[in-house]
Amino acid sequence: MSYTIEGSTGTWEIVCGLEVHAQVVSEAKLFSGAATKFGAEANTQVSPVDAGMPGMLPVVNGWCVEQAVRTGLGLRAAINRTSVFERKNYFYPDLPCGYQISQYQHPVVGTGKLTIDFPDGTAKDVGITRLHLEMDAGKSVHDAHADASLIDLNRSGVALMEIVSEPDIASPEEAVLYLRKLRSILRYLGTCDGNMEEGSLRCDANVSVRKVGDTALGTRCEVKNVNSMRFVARAIEYEARRQVEILEGGGRIDQETRLFDSVRGETRSMRSKEEAHDYRYFPDPDLLPLEFSQAFVDELRTQLPELPDQKKARFIADFALSAYDASVLVAERESADFYETVLAALSDKQRDGKMAANWVINELFGRLNKEGRGIAGSPVSAAQLGAVVGLIGEGTISGKIAKD
Ligand code: ADP
Ligand code: MG
């Protein structure tokens, strides 16, 4: 499981921390009532606040704040009962105000933990540093005209949760497992739809390398916008090898922001790393600090759904599943529900959790996968599969006949 890179001067390991931007599932934006539908015609979902008109006042969307707190609770994190919105000042054509409203010194959520599950059944905790709320920027469209760029402000002001991990990730595989688990938790909570193609979940990877045995952290590079699970793994691997090569050649790593080019499979420099003081963060004078009562936080906690880790533990305890099978089934709520519906269709005498899991995972999901279908597109309902599994359990029909 340990991942290393062999160099001519020794053995290297990867140190990686991920910053994930997760778009909050919300009809309205973080500071305005404008709509957030994906794919709408350009500039049709823009209020004067989102367009940065002078004198407009942001009004915080309580729903979005609640989703951030719920996400923090799902990440077993400390909820800060007081947090502050600050202005992060920079110029960019798709940022009409000249600043992004974000959180900096006082984020809404503090430290937490996320457990990643390896295929061999072992697990590892990755620390969550913080989660903060911020508004998204607009989008520059460079390829519609040969001699002009266009600005679409539909995305301007959409609520994002930035979820920052500790540098606890030690391989490309761990990064992918972290992202998958985070996506799974967000989808269970319903706070983010996790759609990477539509940009609802975006990932920046911070990567450094060090010799095995060293404890000090190396200089990191941040690889921006790696927007698929596969690319995250490739970007980290490429970036780590690039750094090893430089260090072994006697060079040093400049802290910088790099872009992953998915066509060439390499990262390239975008800009040298900007420092926090360049942004001149200061509390937004238009917004009061967020203040929660303990009762508000407790109430949200009691209303959380059963989350993947809890469901997995229950499946292992109640149905004698292996850790791996349980992880596969709980990754999506729909697959866990499907499995439980199959079990419910069985009589006490017929109920064999392991056999049912095998039928759901290998026979059904395996086949759906091959045909490129989701659970919703399954020609066999959970109740029907339950009836078949029941007959096999009783020995009425054989597994071989059932598969046909
Ligand atoms: P910044 O605003 O500079 O991007 P953040 O605190 O937002 O800083 O994020 C820093 C990210 O980089 C975190 O995910 C953290 O775990 C990671 N990180 C910090 N130091 C290192 C390092 N030496 N190597 C790899 N990752 C690192
Ligand atoms: Mg950052």
Side-chain angles (χ1 to χ4, degrees):
M1 213 160 27
S2 92
Y3 182 95
T4 52
I5 298 171
E6 285 308 321
S8 49
T9 64
T11 306
W12 299 81
E13 63 186 9
I14 292 182
V15 175
C16 170
L18 296 183
E19 293 168 76
V20 171
H21 286 93
Q23 183 178 328
V24 177
V25 172
S26 167
E27 303 269 320
K29 295 185 180 178
L30 183 53
F31 299 114
S32 85
T36 61
K37 256 195 205 70
F38 179 82
E41 194 187 330
N43 295 309
T44 55
Q45 301 181 154
V46 187
S47 81
V49 175
D50 313 319
M53 293 295 160
M56 292 298 119
L57 286 175
V59 176
V60 72
N61 179 339
W63 166 265
C64 294
V65 173
E66 221 170 89
Q67 304 319 304
V69 174
R70 294 181 65 241
T71 304
L73 293 169
L75 295 171
R76 294 180 278 157
I79 306 302
N80 293 325
R81 285 179 39 206
T82 301
S83 66
V84 177
F85 284 111
E86 303 204 34
R87 291 186 181 179
K88 179 180 184 179
N89 298 282
Y90 63 95
F91 173 81
Y92 208 75
D94 61 21
L95 189 76
C97 300
Y99 58 84
Q100 176 192 30
I101 304 176
S102 181
Q103 296 189 302
Y104 181 56
Q105 287 192 339
H106 306 282
V108 60
V109 174
T111 57
K113 269 194 187 74
L114 182 143
T115 305
I116 58 176
D117 310 280
F118 296 100
D120 68 358
T122 60
K124 164 180 171 172
D125 281 348
V126 173
I128 301 292
T129 313
R130 64 167 198 271
L131 175 157
H132 68 250
L133 273 168
E134 62 186 26
M135 54 176 269
D136 206 347
K139 208 163 90 180
S140 303
V141 182
H142 300 299
D143 51 6
H145 287 280
D147 55 356
S149 284
L150 305 178
I151 305 288
D152 177 5
L153 292 179
N154 280 353
R155 222 175 53 181
S156 168
V158 164
L160 301 178
M161 300 179 279
E162 178 170 334
I163 302 163
V164 182
S165 88
E166 289 292 299
D168 291 344
I169 294 165
S171 70
E173 182 201 13
E174 288 186 14
V176 172
L177 292 173
Y178 172 91
L179 264 187
R180 280 219 195 106
K181 187 58 166 290
L182 177 59
R183 180 172 182 275
S184 169
I185 292 172
L186 293 167
R187 286 170 54 82
Y188 266 67
L189 291 165
T191 56
C192 170
D193 66 22
N195 189 327
M196 293 186 87
E197 280 114 81
E198 293 183 0
S200 312
L201 197 68
R202 320 200 274 264
C203 176
D204 304 337
N206 295 270
V207 179
S208 66
V209 294
R210 66 181 170 196
K211 285 261 174 73
V212 171
D214 283 358
T215 48
L217 293 176
T219 303
R220 68 181 153 121
C221 289
E222 181 174 4
V223 188
K224 281 271 177 211
N225 283 326
V226 261
N227 292 329
S228 82
M229 302 279 179
R230 199 157 47 92
F231 292 162
V232 169
R234 282 174 50 195
I236 293 170
E237 164 130 41
Y238 177 90
E239 180 56 22
R241 290 185 186 279
R242 186 188 72 87
Q243 292 182 14
V244 165
E245 208 167 293
I246 291 174
L247 293 169
E248 294 225 312
R252 63 182 182 91
I253 305 300
D254 295 322
Q255 192 171 336
E256 61 181 359
T257 302
R258 301 178 67 84
L259 263 185
F260 180 65
D261 178 335
S262 57
V263 178
R264 291 163 175 255
E266 58 189 37
T267 66
R268 60 167 181 269
S269 183
M270 197 167 120
R271 55 173 187 253
S272 71
K273 175 76 190 170
E274 68 286 350
E275 296 290 337
H277 61 247
D278 296 336
Y279 290 121
R280 304 216 171 239
Y281 279 100
F282 65 90
D284 192 310
D286 291 337
L287 291 160
L288 289 168
L290 291 175
E291 307 253 11
F292 312 137
S293 67
Q294 191 57 47
F296 168 77
V297 178
D298 292 344
E299 178 63 20
L300 289 179
R301 193 191 303 275
T302 56
Q303 288 171 8
L304 289 184
E306 183 183 35
L307 291 171
D309 290 335
Q310 299 160 319
K311 214 185 262 296
K312 178 182 167 189
R314 180 165 65 81
F315 280 13
I316 293 172
D318 291 1
F319 311 130
L321 297 190
S322 69
Y324 179 73
D325 282 355
S327 301
V328 171
L329 288 172
V330 306
E332 292 282 342
R333 208 160 161 172
E334 294 71 36
S335 49
D337 288 349
F338 191 98
Y339 173 68
E340 291 209 83
T341 309
V342 169
L343 286 183
L346 302 171
S347 68
D348 288 346
K349 209 169 71 214
Q350 293 170 332
R351 193 164 299 125
D352 176 341
K354 275 187 188 158
M355 184 172 80
N358 182 38
W359 276 86
V360 172
I361 296 172
N362 298 316
E363 302 308 329
L364 184 66
F365 293 173
R367 215 179 276 195
L368 289 176
N369 223 347
K370 241 184 252 160
E371 294 172 11
R373 294 203 230 189
I375 300 175
S378 171
V380 182
S381 74
Q384 286 167 332
L385 185 62
V388 173
V389 173
L391 292 176
I392 305 164
E394 285 176 344
T396 309
I397 60 171
S398 72
K400 192 172 166 308
I401 288 176
K403 283 179 203 179
D404 303 328

